[in-house]
């Protein structure tokens, strides 16, 4: 049983560093007011930024999709699992992103994690170079490793460092890879500068817009719409389990890139297609995102964000206001962040403490996420509790 002893010791070590992870069990749909582990809580932790996960129209479409297409796809896309619902969703997504790409097409994946492994593992080979932003999501880091390309990490938003790396490179295939909205910080990547560098150096720009799609841009098309970008050098990944409220992800790019992924991307080829009902439900999500209800929900989300920014008066903790639904409060040490999350829980507020390796050591934080499903009263309650805990933190130190 030596292996189990080793694991036990490693888990105890995680405990000692306040890094042990535990799950909570929700007993109600994803919404601001949830029942979790037998308690009613007000939650600020999901990525359901528009409140679509429990939207009646999306739930109805999921049921309708199951009635029409069954519960499962039965096979991978290249065998027999590709359904009319998947095809319609891909056409819809391609049309949404068409203003930003050349010959836009889209490919639906089971998860964003798989989409990122697929894009980097397929577009970058052994002879390629990947320029990876230091705060990129784990799935991009893993995709870069899987590609076996040479990987260079540039410091957060440091365009001078990136320009120097590109200028020094001889590689024929080069990919600049960045989150569009940084998942644990909520800030937006310098997209215009990134695209200018990509075009100047003949590189691809791969943007993972997990937290911008649905939220940013007049029509909710994400960071590319927000920044007004268009280029044949762009590859965009959007996730569909966050603002879109269901599950899965898509890659949008030039038709040739998509064809290459269909033929070569192992995470796409060797995996069972997501349930067609999910794609059918996502068509309803896209109607909401692009329609007047989506505009109203985005406006409400922005108003809640401004309300929180105006209400928070933190003197000890470091609040980083952003233009997105992600509002981080950086405390520093793991134990501090855990203690703050536990205190909030006593107020029946559910805010996750985010620790390394998800964020760099010494920057443990509360990651507050707002949703259009929150009310102004919800945000008032959160702000009051945070202000109180912050002032108590001052007395303690
Ligand atoms: C959530 C997330 C992913 C993974 O998407 P899933 O569909 O949840 O697998 C990828 N990139 C970023 C930036 C994310 O936040």
């Amino acid at each position: 049983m030596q292996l189990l002893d080793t694991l036990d010791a490693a888990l105890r070590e995680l405990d000692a560093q306040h890094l042990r992870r535990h799950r909570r069990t929700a007993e109600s749909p994803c919404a601001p007011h949830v029942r979790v582990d037998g308690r009613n809580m007000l939650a600020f932790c999901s990525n359901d930024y528009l409140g679509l996960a429990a939207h009646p129209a999306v739930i109805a479409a999921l049921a309708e999709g199951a009635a029409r297409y069954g519960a499962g796809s039965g096979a991978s896309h290249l065998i027999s699992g590709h359904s009319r619902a998947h095809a319609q969703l891909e056409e819809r997504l391609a049309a949404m992103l068409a203003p930003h790409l050349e010959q836009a097409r889209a490919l639906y994946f089971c998860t964003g994690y798989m989409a990122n492994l697929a894009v980097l593992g397929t577009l970058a080979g052994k002879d390629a170079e990947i320029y990876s932003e230091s705060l990129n999501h784990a799935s991009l880091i893993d995709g870069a490793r899987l590609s076996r390309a040479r990987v260079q990490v540039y410091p957060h938003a440091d365009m001078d460092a990136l320009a120097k790396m590109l200028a020094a490179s001889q590689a024929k295939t080069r990919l600049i890879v960045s989150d569009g909205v940084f998942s644990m910080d909520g800030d937006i990547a310098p997209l215009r500068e990134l695209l200018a560098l990509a075009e100047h150096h003949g590189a691809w720009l791969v943007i993972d817009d997990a937290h911008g799609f649905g939220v940013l841009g007049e029509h909710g098309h994400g960071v590319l719409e927000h920044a007004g970008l268009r280029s044949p050098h762009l590859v965009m990944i959007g996730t569909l389990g966050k603002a879109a409220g269901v599950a899965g992800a898509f890659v949008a790019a030039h038709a040739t890139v998509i064809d290459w992924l269909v033929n070569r991307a192992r995470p796409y080829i060797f995996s069972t297609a997501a349930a067609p009902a999910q794609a059918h439900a996502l068509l309803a999500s896209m109607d909401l995102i692009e329609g007047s209800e989506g505009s109203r929900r985005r406006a409400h989300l922005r108003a809640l964000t401004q309300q929180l920014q105006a209400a928070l008066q933190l003197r000890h903790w470091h609040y980083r206001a952003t233009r997105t639904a992600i509002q981080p409060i950086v405390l520093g040490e793991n134990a501090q962040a855990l203690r703050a999350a536990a205190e909030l829980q006593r107020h029946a507020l559910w805010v996750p403490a985010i620790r390394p390796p998800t964020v760099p050591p010494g920057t443990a934080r509360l990651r507050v996420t707002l949703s259009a499903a929150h009310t102004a009263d919800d945000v008032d309650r959160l702000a009051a509790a945070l202000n109180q805990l912050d002032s108590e933190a001052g007395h303690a130190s």
Side-chain angles (χ1 to χ4, degrees):
M1 299 311 268
Q2 207 194 336
L3 180 58
L4 289 181
D5 291 341
T6 309
L7 296 182
D8 270 332
L11 284 167
R12 278 196 303 276
E13 180 58 27
L14 288 181
D15 270 331
Q17 294 173 15
H18 306 282
L19 287 175
R20 182 84 171 253
R21 311 292 185 110
H22 300 281
R23 297 170 300 170
R24 300 216 161 79
T25 307
E27 290 143 36
S28 57
C30 174
H33 294 270
V34 289
R35 197 161 172 81
V36 52
D37 291 333
R39 272 187 79 197
N40 293 329
M41 305 278 285
L42 173 56
F44 292 90
C45 24
S46 87
N47 303 310
D48 179 27
Y49 302 127
L50 296 182
L52 299 189
H55 192 290
V58 181
I59 295 170
L62 186 64
E64 186 188 79
R68 196 182 296 181
Y69 298 101
S73 68
S76 66
H77 284 275
L78 292 184
I79 301 296
S80 64
H82 191 63
S83 77
R84 167 62 46 206
H86 296 123
Q88 284 174 331
L89 177 63
E90 290 178 347
E91 280 162 27
R92 179 71 182 266
L93 291 164
M96 290 168 88
L97 276 304
H100 309 290
L101 305 165
E102 216 68 43
Q103 291 191 45
R105 266 181 58 196
L107 190 64
Y108 178 50
F109 280 80
C110 291
T111 72
Y113 197 105
M114 287 171 62
N116 282 343
L117 296 188
V119 166
L120 300 190
T122 311
L123 294 187
K126 263 205 325 285
D127 303 326
E129 285 190 3
I130 290 178
Y131 307 90
S132 183
E133 147 81 54
S134 64
L135 295 187
N136 273 350
H137 190 262
S139 55
L140 291 172
I141 296 169
D142 293 355
R145 285 182 185 148
L146 197 63
S147 76
R148 291 187 285 172
R150 175 160 179 246
V151 181
Q152 298 191 64
V153 177
Y154 64 90
H156 181 53
D158 188 339
M159 294 299 98
D160 292 338
L162 175 59
K164 285 201 188 95
M165 288 177 182
L166 284 161
S169 159
Q170 308 288 323
K172 201 167 103 220
T173 306
R174 299 184 247 184
L175 275 70
I176 303 170
V177 180
S178 177
D179 280 17
V181 172
F182 292 94
S183 53
M184 297 302 135
D185 295 76
D187 55 332
I188 299 172
L191 290 154
R192 293 196 152 276
E193 293 84 345
L194 284 169
L195 185 60
L197 280 174
E199 300 209 310
H200 181 72
H201 292 278
W204 293 95
L205 177 59
V206 178
I207 294 294
D208 174 353
D209 200 21
H211 301 277
F213 183 74
V215 175
L216 295 175
E218 190 188 340
H219 304 93
H221 297 167
V223 287
L224 302 186
E225 185 183 24
H226 173 80
L229 300 187
R230 180 184 174 92
S231 167
H233 298 260
L234 277 167
V235 176
M236 177 196 158
I237 299 110
T239 59
L240 298 169
K242 290 171 179 159
V246 186
F250 67 95
V251 179
H254 190 285
T256 304
V257 172
I258 299 299
D259 264 342
W260 186 242
L261 290 176
V262 169
N263 280 277
R264 276 288 182 269
R266 295 166 68 86
Y268 187 76
I269 296 169
F270 297 104
S271 190
T272 301
Q278 288 181 13
H280 192 72
L282 282 163
L283 286 166
S285 298
M286 296 309 116
D287 286 343
L288 291 166
I289 284 174
E290 290 199 292
S292 58
E293 181 158 353
S295 303
R296 273 201 308 281
R297 283 176 182 247
R298 282 187 289 278
H300 180 54
L301 179 59
R302 275 195 303 276
L304 293 176
T305 308
Q306 285 157 8
Q307 182 194 338
L308 181 70
Q309 288 169 359
L312 280 186
Q313 315 255 327
L314 304 187
R315 269 184 289 268
H316 306 284
W317 298 344
H318 180 49
Y319 170 48
R320 292 195 200 146
T322 77
R323 300 168 68 187
T324 67
I326 303 165
Q327 302 291 318
I329 300 168
V330 178
L331 283 77
E333 294 312 314
N334 302 334
Q336 272 181 297
L338 280 183
R339 209 177 317 119
E343 290 287 340
L344 287 167
Q345 211 166 330
R346 265 197 279 286
H347 291 74
L349 293 164
W350 187 11
V351 179
I354 307 288
R355 292 160 283 160
T358 312
V359 293
T363 69
R365 66 196 66 184
L366 296 169
R367 177 179 183 262
V368 172
T369 51
L370 297 171
S371 162
H374 284 118
T375 64
D377 282 350
D378 293 337
V379 171
D380 273 342
R381 243 182 87 189
L382 174 70
L386 286 169
N387 286 337
Q388 185 193 330
L389 291 177
D390 170 78
S391 75
E392 288 168 9
H395 294 310
S397 65

